[in-house]
Amino acid sequence: MSWIKNITDEINNLKPDKNAIKKFPLIIGTIFLLMYLYFYFFTDVRYYLFLFAGMLAGLGFFLPVEVIYPFYKGWMSIAIFLSYFMSRLILIILFYLVITPLGLILRLFGKDFLELKIEREKKSYWNKKEEGNISDPEKQY
């Protein structure tokens, strides 16, 4: 299974610098703080999110990089695993729900945008350029 090997290789090649590891608890703390604000204004207040956000942000300032790194690597491993499947899922949905129906509808109406139909009576398939549209490669814009 090559996809497992691809994911494990990507996780093993994860070599962040110390600034990225130090920023990690601050970013996660900010995310939980935003979640707390959402719950505060739109639903019941969840104080544990506020406490968790404050704890993560505080630990980011005081803990050394060596302590934060295992949490960072675990979080990034989950992110790499999810990104591997989500990108493929999004492409599958886009292809089967957008591109395929559009292609079928255009084929139903007889559209041929790439001009792939073979016409035996044509001597050449070359599309001649209009005389007024002379472009200069030196002046593209």
Side-chain angles (χ1 to χ4, degrees):
M1 292 200 179
S2 66
W3 63 273
I4 294 175
K5 186 179 182 313
N6 290 343
I7 292 173
T8 54
D9 286 345
E10 194 168 342
I11 291 170
N12 291 333
N13 292 332
L14 184 66
K15 301 211 181 339
D17 59 340
K18 289 188 177 190
N19 287 334
I21 297 172
K22 279 299 241 188
K23 289 179 188 175
F24 170 69
L26 300 174
I27 293 170
I28 299 299
T30 304
I31 290 170
F32 279 105
L33 180 64
L34 292 173
M35 287 172 52
Y36 165 74
L37 291 174
Y38 171 78
F39 285 123
Y40 182 78
F41 288 114
F42 296 111
T43 63
D44 295 336
V45 178
R46 306 285 189 236
Y47 292 109
Y48 61 87
L49 288 174
F50 182 71
L51 294 174
F52 191 65
M55 182 183 70
L56 279 175
L59 291 176
F61 284 117
F62 298 116
L63 288 178
V65 174
E66 292 79 21
V67 175
I68 300 172
Y69 181 70
F71 297 105
Y72 176 84
K73 188 161 184 170
W75 187 270
M76 293 308 290
S77 299
I78 293 169
I80 290 169
F81 183 76
L82 287 176
S83 69
Y84 186 82
F85 290 104
M86 290 307 293
S87 60
R88 282 146 181 85
L89 179 68
I90 290 168
L91 287 173
I92 287 169
I93 290 171
L94 179 71
F95 183 77
Y96 285 111
L97 294 182
V98 176
I99 296 172
T100 301
L102 183 65
L104 292 173
I105 290 169
L106 290 174
R107 185 174 287 185
L108 184 69
F109 287 115
K111 297 291 183 182
D112 187 21
F113 291 113
L114 296 178
E115 299 175 6
L116 296 175
K117 291 181 184 173
I118 296 175
E119 297 177 21
R120 301 268 184 221
E121 63 272 359
K122 274 191 170 181
K123 292 182 181 179
S124 172
Y125 287 103
W126 186 265
N127 294 329
K128 292 195 176 194
K129 192 172 183 182
E130 295 177 17
E131 291 296 322
N133 267 347
I134 298 174
S135 64
D136 185 6
E138 296 291 323
K139 298 177 184 176
Q140 294 183 14
Y141 302 103

